[in-house]
Amino acid sequence: MTDEKILAAVDPEGPAPEDGELRQYYFLRKMQEFTAGRAKTLERKMTACVVTFGCQMNFNDSEKLTGILKTAGFDITENEDADFVIFNTCTVRENANEHLYGRLGEVHHLKKSDPRKVVAICGCMVQEKSAAEKIKKSYPFVNLIFGTYNLYCFPEYLYRCYHGEKHICELWDKSSEIVENMPVLRKYPWKSGVNIMFGCDNFCSYCIVPYVRGREKSREPKEILREIEKLADDGVKEIMLLGQNVNSYGKNLPEKTNFAELLAAAAQIPGIERIRFMTPHPKDFSDDVLYVIRDNPKIARHIHLPLQSGSDRILQAMNRHYTKESFLELVDHIRSIVPDAAITTDIIIGFPGETAADADETIDVVKKAHFDNAFTFIYSPRVGTPAARMEQVPEEEKKQNFDRLLSVVQETAKEQAKKLQGREFTALIEEMNDQDTSFVTGRLSNNMIVHVKGDPSMIGRFYRVRLDDCRGFYYFGTALGEMTGPDVEVR
Ligand code: 5AD
Ligand code: SF4
């Protein structure tokens, strides 16, 4: 999805516009000329590869990077052998950083045999000063580094890479404006993420996100709804509204609005059949959001509600602003208003000061809340966050508590899954089954995965399915027919 009108409006022969999207479209036009010329000498189009680490937000950003590269005239490939490779990094836990260093080693080899190859790194990790310094020092073959606040300047940096600059490092420490209308190339034709806000103001004491993604900033509702309408026109059926703390959507906007209003407005857009959102914060989950979900079958029956810990002492040290009791009350309250909603969570084990008794409190919440699934993480100290300066838990203790938690999480998730046995639901078919190509894989509104006999023509369409055979976290089922009307029973 490129804004052809803006692209056509820029004059590549004239001076570069001062700033904003026009300036970037100007450099895209310049890059188109460059890649066309290089294609003649190479006798093939230039190729580019985008490698993504981390969360949905990064995945969404990568679709923008890919859109820019495609518009600039590159063929997109999954192969790191490409003429241009960019790593969109994550730094939420240390292992994400380690992963990048491993991949950079491999790319270095490729670059030795192709010195014209351009290597770029962007995203959360390079917003950390120490990581950016390490890359500059230890991986000098990296040509371009830029951060999360200036992603929209990628066309300009790309141009500079190919016009004489061997090393570019552009890291801003805060965002300026929200630049709309940059090109996007979606990986899936039928689903898309939609950023509704950027950054986070919560400062949970373990989390690096507020430092690398900056202060919370909401997009204007009319921009978001216009984007969703365009996606619907383009054939998108499912959207995921993305923000670090979606419940506080709208707080900094000049005109008063909130997440419930946005959700309700998105549900009115024809063509969009399923709406997901990520991530709410338990401390300010309001009833009006729950009523909007209840009243709109298009909104997925799935709420991801990060618990992080079940111990009041640890929750306080984490700066989470809720207690074990209030979290459990919220879970009950959600189930009383939207009884068919699956509830999933994130849990951190091994936060500084956490004892076996604290971990027991967390395990108790998992049992009482009956989570449909939980992502469990071992605490990873992040430089610059308050928790990194606290006294750390020995590795062995973290590991033991983690293993205890994991077995309860798995038990609970299986019990929840079993409850759906034999029932009929609506599934959006997402892909071919990677083990057996006579099957396709679909997802229910409540996020449950189901494999049914089928063929590629079913991908991106809604089917009524029966859940026959529970295999723990997923089902084998039967496709009963394509859905033509609205989803009658959502869970
Ligand atoms: N260590 C471990 N897990 C973390 N998360 C965030 N920061 C850390 C950290 N320093 C987890 C939280 C969050 C999820 C996206 O990542 O559970 O919800
Ligand atoms: Fe990190 Fe807390 Fe913000 Fe989530 S809400 S991004 S865990 S600071």
PDB file of all heavy atoms in Angstrom, residues 41 103 108 119 152 191 248 286 294 298 315 376:
ATOM      1  N   THR A  41      22.987  -2.699 -14.453  1.00  0.00           N
ATOM      2  CA  THR A  41      24.340  -3.273 -14.387  1.00  0.00           C
ATOM      3  C   THR A  41      24.326  -4.703 -13.854  1.00  0.00           C
ATOM      4  O   THR A  41      25.078  -5.549 -14.311  1.00  0.00           O
ATOM      5  CB  THR A  41      25.295  -2.438 -13.492  1.00  0.00           C
ATOM      6  OG1 THR A  41      24.535  -1.776 -12.489  1.00  0.00           O
ATOM      7  CG2 THR A  41      26.107  -1.449 -14.266  1.00  0.00           C
ATOM      8  N   ARG A 103      23.348 -13.659  14.625  1.00  0.00           N
ATOM      9  CA  ARG A 103      22.965 -13.456  13.218  1.00  0.00           C
ATOM     10  C   ARG A 103      23.938 -12.519  12.512  1.00  0.00           C
ATOM     11  O   ARG A 103      24.234 -12.677  11.329  1.00  0.00           O
ATOM     12  CB  ARG A 103      21.549 -12.888  13.121  1.00  0.00           C
ATOM     13  CG  ARG A 103      20.488 -13.854  13.581  1.00  0.00           C
ATOM     14  CD  ARG A 103      20.315 -15.008  12.626  1.00  0.00           C
ATOM     15  NE  ARG A 103      19.406 -14.696  11.552  1.00  0.00           N
ATOM     16  CZ  ARG A 103      18.092 -14.869  11.618  1.00  0.00           C
ATOM     17  NH1 ARG A 103      17.558 -15.362  12.707  1.00  0.00           N
ATOM     18  NH2 ARG A 103      17.332 -14.562  10.592  1.00  0.00           N
ATOM     19  N   HIS A 108      28.210 -11.294   8.447  1.00  0.00           N
ATOM     20  CA  HIS A 108      29.571 -10.836   8.172  1.00  0.00           C
ATOM     21  C   HIS A 108      30.232 -11.713   7.100  1.00  0.00           C
ATOM     22  O   HIS A 108      30.880 -11.227   6.179  1.00  0.00           O
ATOM     23  CB  HIS A 108      30.394 -10.836   9.463  1.00  0.00           C
ATOM     24  CG  HIS A 108      31.672 -10.075   9.339  1.00  0.00           C
ATOM     25  ND1 HIS A 108      32.670 -10.132  10.254  1.00  0.00           N
ATOM     26  CD2 HIS A 108      32.132  -9.238   8.368  1.00  0.00           C
ATOM     27  CE1 HIS A 108      33.670  -9.364   9.873  1.00  0.00           C
ATOM     28  NE2 HIS A 108      33.367  -8.812   8.732  1.00  0.00           N
ATOM     29  N   VAL A 119      24.328  -3.586   5.183  1.00  0.00           N
ATOM     30  CA  VAL A 119      23.727  -4.185   6.377  1.00  0.00           C
ATOM     31  C   VAL A 119      23.212  -3.064   7.293  1.00  0.00           C
ATOM     32  O   VAL A 119      23.940  -2.118   7.600  1.00  0.00           O
ATOM     33  CB  VAL A 119      24.756  -5.054   7.148  1.00  0.00           C
ATOM     34  CG1 VAL A 119      24.125  -5.666   8.394  1.00  0.00           C
ATOM     35  CG2 VAL A 119      25.330  -6.139   6.246  1.00  0.00           C
ATOM     36  N   TYR A 152      10.507   6.353  10.184  1.00  0.00           N
ATOM     37  CA  TYR A 152       9.923   6.909   8.957  1.00  0.00           C
ATOM     38  C   TYR A 152      10.977   7.579   8.065  1.00  0.00           C
ATOM     39  O   TYR A 152      10.717   7.841   6.894  1.00  0.00           O
ATOM     40  CB  TYR A 152       8.782   7.881   9.295  1.00  0.00           C
ATOM     41  CG  TYR A 152       9.242   9.213   9.847  1.00  0.00           C
ATOM     42  CD1 TYR A 152       9.444  10.300   9.013  1.00  0.00           C
ATOM     43  CD2 TYR A 152       9.488   9.371  11.206  1.00  0.00           C
ATOM     44  CE1 TYR A 152       9.873  11.520   9.515  1.00  0.00           C
ATOM     45  CE2 TYR A 152       9.925  10.583  11.714  1.00  0.00           C
ATOM     46  CZ  TYR A 152      10.117  11.650  10.864  1.00  0.00           C
ATOM     47  OH  TYR A 152      10.558  12.847  11.360  1.00  0.00           O
ATOM     48  N   LYS A 191      -4.858 -10.172   7.044  1.00  0.00           N
ATOM     49  CA  LYS A 191      -4.798  -9.647   8.421  1.00  0.00           C
ATOM     50  C   LYS A 191      -3.717  -8.598   8.554  1.00  0.00           C
ATOM     51  O   LYS A 191      -2.730  -8.618   7.805  1.00  0.00           O
ATOM     52  CB  LYS A 191      -4.605 -10.759   9.456  1.00  0.00           C
ATOM     53  CG  LYS A 191      -3.214 -11.310   9.577  1.00  0.00           C
ATOM     54  CD  LYS A 191      -3.111 -12.142  10.868  1.00  0.00           C
ATOM     55  CE  LYS A 191      -1.764 -12.841  10.939  1.00  0.00           C
ATOM     56  NZ  LYS A 191      -1.627 -13.711  12.091  1.00  0.00           N
ATOM     57  N   SER A 248      -5.102   3.090  27.994  1.00  0.00           N
ATOM     58  CA  SER A 248      -4.932   4.530  28.185  1.00  0.00           C
ATOM     59  C   SER A 248      -4.931   5.262  26.838  1.00  0.00           C
ATOM     60  O   SER A 248      -4.531   6.427  26.775  1.00  0.00           O
ATOM     61  CB  SER A 248      -3.697   4.840  29.018  1.00  0.00           C
ATOM     62  OG  SER A 248      -2.564   4.310  28.418  1.00  0.00           O
ATOM     63  N   SER A 286     -11.253  -0.805  31.885  1.00  0.00           N
ATOM     64  CA  SER A 286     -12.536  -0.225  32.289  1.00  0.00           C
ATOM     65  C   SER A 286     -13.725  -1.041  31.782  1.00  0.00           C
ATOM     66  O   SER A 286     -13.625  -1.766  30.794  1.00  0.00           O
ATOM     67  CB  SER A 286     -12.635   1.209  31.766  1.00  0.00           C
ATOM     68  OG  SER A 286     -12.631   1.180  30.372  1.00  0.00           O
ATOM     69  N   ARG A 294     -18.589  -7.194  24.678  1.00  0.00           N
ATOM     70  CA  ARG A 294     -19.803  -8.023  24.816  1.00  0.00           C
ATOM     71  C   ARG A 294     -20.782  -7.773  23.670  1.00  0.00           C
ATOM     72  O   ARG A 294     -21.368  -8.697  23.114  1.00  0.00           O
ATOM     73  CB  ARG A 294     -20.474  -7.690  26.164  1.00  0.00           C
ATOM     74  CG  ARG A 294     -21.718  -8.519  26.436  1.00  0.00           C
ATOM     75  CD  ARG A 294     -22.526  -7.943  27.564  1.00  0.00           C
ATOM     76  NE  ARG A 294     -23.051  -6.600  27.230  1.00  0.00           N
ATOM     77  CZ  ARG A 294     -23.663  -5.808  28.091  1.00  0.00           C
ATOM     78  NH1 ARG A 294     -23.819  -6.190  29.345  1.00  0.00           N
ATOM     79  NH2 ARG A 294     -24.111  -4.617  27.721  1.00  0.00           N
ATOM     80  N   LYS A 298     -17.803  -9.098  16.554  1.00  0.00           N
ATOM     81  CA  LYS A 298     -16.590  -9.014  15.730  1.00  0.00           C
ATOM     82  C   LYS A 298     -15.331  -8.871  16.590  1.00  0.00           C
ATOM     83  O   LYS A 298     -14.231  -9.091  16.116  1.00  0.00           O
ATOM     84  CB  LYS A 298     -16.657  -7.781  14.823  1.00  0.00           C
ATOM     85  CG  LYS A 298     -17.590  -7.924  13.651  1.00  0.00           C
ATOM     86  CD  LYS A 298     -17.482  -6.668  12.826  1.00  0.00           C
ATOM     87  CE  LYS A 298     -18.340  -6.750  11.587  1.00  0.00           C
ATOM     88  NZ  LYS A 298     -18.176  -5.523  10.787  1.00  0.00           N
ATOM     89  N   LEU A 315       4.597  -7.419  43.053  1.00  0.00           N
ATOM     90  CA  LEU A 315       3.831  -6.508  42.176  1.00  0.00           C
ATOM     91  C   LEU A 315       4.141  -5.053  42.516  1.00  0.00           C
ATOM     92  O   LEU A 315       4.264  -4.209  41.626  1.00  0.00           O
ATOM     93  CB  LEU A 315       2.326  -6.767  42.315  1.00  0.00           C
ATOM     94  CG  LEU A 315       1.805  -7.992  41.569  1.00  0.00           C
ATOM     95  CD1 LEU A 315       0.359  -8.282  41.966  1.00  0.00           C
ATOM     96  CD2 LEU A 315       1.905  -7.806  40.054  1.00  0.00           C
ATOM     97  N   THR A 376       5.491 -17.445  29.786  1.00  0.00           N
ATOM     98  CA  THR A 376       6.284 -17.340  31.012  1.00  0.00           C
ATOM     99  C   THR A 376       7.716 -16.956  30.648  1.00  0.00           C
ATOM    100  O   THR A 376       8.298 -17.513  29.716  1.00  0.00           O
ATOM    101  CB  THR A 376       6.284 -18.696  31.748  1.00  0.00           C
ATOM    102  OG1 THR A 376       6.573 -19.714  30.802  1.00  0.00           O
ATOM    103  CG2 THR A 376       4.940 -18.968  32.382  1.00  0.00           C
TER     104      THR A 376
END
